[in-house]
């Protein structure tokens, strides 16, 4: 199969923090974001889903130099999960949210504030507000800027370079303090169920259907550790990744897990994957405004498609909600359309 070297810039968990000014060379996450063919954002665009937050993130992505900018939501993007927002999430806009050292309570939309501060908010008004937020991401203006908001499922794209790929996207993660896009930890929404059981709505297909996986949450045991040495990723997602064997899997959600690992699929080890850390150098990251990794055909160690997956936790925020982590920039081979 013919392939072409493709550069992908990856971020997650920006929580409305735009890159620092260019002159702040003590910060890796600064303008401009590294140029790439594709930019991926793995969710938690905002702190708590206000309109002004979404507008800031769309503006930031519009300025990024990439032909295609693929975006999913995360658990903090509560207005993009209509069912959650209209049943419980709206209450998070009625009181301050403490995130890191910041207290978040905005009044960016008078109609919404009037609705929220009635004794019994009207559900249709809440639905209309949630729909208006999603329309920001699906508007013609966003499309013209190369921004495409992805719902859960598979999506295929072809770049002007001829690179053609299929991506599986999902904003969901195991239930986490009653935030959005959650599922019970014992629920498997990624793997086909036995014939006698209800099937998940959007299971991940087998290898070689998927080139890239873009999920908000991590698979268990992969860049998902929180104190004290707990792995909080999803075991069903790892099982699905083992079936799909994508070239690249980007996620975020667990800020402490920022980093990249080369996963070598091996049924003889626990979890079915051997993980090797991708080494980073702070001086190089500061100079280049990102953590660069080359697994293309011309690299010292090219990715072995079908045998290896590059896992990336792209969380920009630290656990203290400081925008100090680096974007990841990966060069890898993608199939050529018609090749």
């Amino acid at each position: 199969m013919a392939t072409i070297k493709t550069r992908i810039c990856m971020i997650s968990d920006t929580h409305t923090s735009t890159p620092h000014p260019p002159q702040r060379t003590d910060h890796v996450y600064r303008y401009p974001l590294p140029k790439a063919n594709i930019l991926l954002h793995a969710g938690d665009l905002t702190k708590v889903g206000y309109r002004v937050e979404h507008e800031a993130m769309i503006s930031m992505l519009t300025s990024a130099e990439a032909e295609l900018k693929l975006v999913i939501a995360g658990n903090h993007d509560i207005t993009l999960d209509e069912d959650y927002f209209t049943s419980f999430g709206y209450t998070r806009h009625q009181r301050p949210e403490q995130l890191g050292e910041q207290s978040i309570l905005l009044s960016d939309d008078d109609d919404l504030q009037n609705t929220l501060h009635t004794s019994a908010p009207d559900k249709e008004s809440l639905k209309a507000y949630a729909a208006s937020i999603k329309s920001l991401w699906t508007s013609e203006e966003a499309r013209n800027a190369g921004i495409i908001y992805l719902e859960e499922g598979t999506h295929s794209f072809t770049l002007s370079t001829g690179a053609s790929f299929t991506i599986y996207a999902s904003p969901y993660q195991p239930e986490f303090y009653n935030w959005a896009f959650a599922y019970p930890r014992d629920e498997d929404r990624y793997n086909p169920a036995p014939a006698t059981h209800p099937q998940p709505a959007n299971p991940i297909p087998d290898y070689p259907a998927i080139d890239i996986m873009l999920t908000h949450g991590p698979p268990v045991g992969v860049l998902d550790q929180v104190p004290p040495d707990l792995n909080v990723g999803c075991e069903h997602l790892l099982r699905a990744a083992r079936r799909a064997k994508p070239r690249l899997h980007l996620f975020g959600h667990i800020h402490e897990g920022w980093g990249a690992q080369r996963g070598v699929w091996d049924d003889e080890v626990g979890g079915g994957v051997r993980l090797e850390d991708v080494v980073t150098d702070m001086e190089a990251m500061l100079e280049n405004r990102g953590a660069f990794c080359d697994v293309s055909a011309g690299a010292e160690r090219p990715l072995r498609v079908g045998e290896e997956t590059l896992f990336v936790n792209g969380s920009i925020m630290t656990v203290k909600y400081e925008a100090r982590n680096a974007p990841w920039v990966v060069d890898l081979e993608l199939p050529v359309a018609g090749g």
Side-chain angles (χ1 to χ4, degrees):
M1 176 188 294
T3 62
I4 186 169
K5 182 177 178 178
T6 304
R7 176 159 288 186
I8 305 176
C9 179
M10 295 170 285
I11 56 177
S12 185
D13 295 77
T14 49
H15 293 286
T16 319
S17 286
T18 55
H20 297 280
Q23 60 269 28
R24 288 300 305 271
T25 54
D26 56 330
H27 284 278
V28 181
Y29 180 58
R30 66 181 190 273
Y31 280 115
L33 290 174
K35 180 181 178 180
N37 302 106
I38 305 167
L39 188 151
L40 302 177
H41 195 306
D44 275 3
L45 300 144
T46 67
K47 293 184 175 75
V48 70
Y50 287 102
R51 181 188 304 278
V52 67
E53 294 185 273
H54 287 288
E55 290 173 340
M57 289 295 93
I58 289 171
S59 177
M60 183 266 281
L61 291 171
T62 296
S63 71
E65 196 169 351
E67 178 180 347
L68 187 62
K69 305 156 189 180
L70 304 180
V71 176
I72 61 171
N75 56 292
H76 277 261
D77 303 318
I78 64 175
T79 41
L80 290 171
D81 185 345
E82 182 183 294
D83 290 342
Y84 169 83
F85 183 69
T86 57
S87 61
F88 173 80
Y90 70 86
T91 66
R92 294 189 180 277
H93 285 187
Q94 292 177 312
R95 62 182 191 277
E97 288 288 347
Q98 194 69 31
L99 299 173
E101 297 179 353
Q102 296 176 302
S103 180
I104 310 301
L105 182 64
L106 304 178
S107 299
D108 63 297
D109 186 302
D110 290 340
D111 290 338
L112 174 67
Q113 294 302 317
N114 291 337
T115 297
L116 291 179
H117 291 92
T118 59
S119 57
D122 175 63
K123 188 165 185 175
E124 291 305 311
S125 296
L126 296 176
K127 286 176 67 175
Y129 182 73
S132 75
I133 296 297
K134 184 171 289 187
S135 71
L136 294 174
W137 289 99
T138 59
S139 68
E140 184 177 355
E141 291 81 3
R143 286 259 174 181
N144 288 341
I147 299 170
I148 299 179
Y149 176 76
L150 300 180
E151 304 279 5
E152 185 178 70
T154 59
H155 311 265
S156 296
F157 300 94
T158 299
L159 301 178
S160 61
T161 61
S164 181
F165 66 98
T166 297
I167 185 169
Y168 177 88
S170 177
Y172 292 90
Q173 73 287 305
E175 198 284 323
F176 186 77
Y177 294 106
N178 200 16
W179 284 88
F181 295 105
Y183 55 86
R185 184 164 283 278
D186 60 358
E187 177 186 324
D188 185 354
R189 66 184 299 117
Y190 304 114
N191 298 284
T196 55
H197 291 64
Q199 296 297 313
N202 300 294
I204 297 174
D206 289 341
Y207 175 82
I210 301 298
D211 299 294
I212 299 172
M213 283 172 52
L214 176 64
T215 62
H216 182 57
V220 70
V222 185
L223 303 168
D224 70 331
Q225 196 170 88
V226 299
D229 300 326
L230 296 175
N231 295 107
V232 294
C234 178
E235 63 181 63
H236 305 297
L237 183 57
L238 178 63
R239 189 154 59 90
R242 193 162 63 237
R243 283 191 302 100
K245 296 179 173 61
R247 299 162 193 253
L248 174 68
H249 184 182
L250 171 66
F251 47 86
H253 187 46
I254 305 303
H255 298 185
E256 304 96 307
W258 177 91
Q261 293 180 323
R262 184 188 290 253
V264 182
W265 299 110
D266 183 351
D267 292 338
E268 301 300 315
V269 301
V273 63
R274 286 187 285 111
L275 298 168
E276 307 170 17
D277 289 339
V278 174
V279 178
T280 57
D281 177 82
M282 180 52 76
E283 286 189 14
M285 289 193 297
L286 284 169
E287 180 180 350
N288 298 317
R289 305 186 314 280
F292 282 69
C293 175
D294 187 358
V295 293
S296 69
E300 182 177 323
R301 187 181 167 193
L303 188 80
R304 294 178 295 151
V305 178
E307 299 179 41
E308 297 178 325
T309 293
L310 184 65
F311 294 100
V312 177
N313 181 324
S315 297
I316 292 299
M317 287 289 189
T318 67
V319 70
K320 294 182 178 180
Y321 282 82
E322 298 171 331
R324 300 197 66 90
N325 291 334
W328 276 90
V329 184
V330 170
D331 289 335
L332 84 166
E333 301 292 320
L334 288 179
V336 173

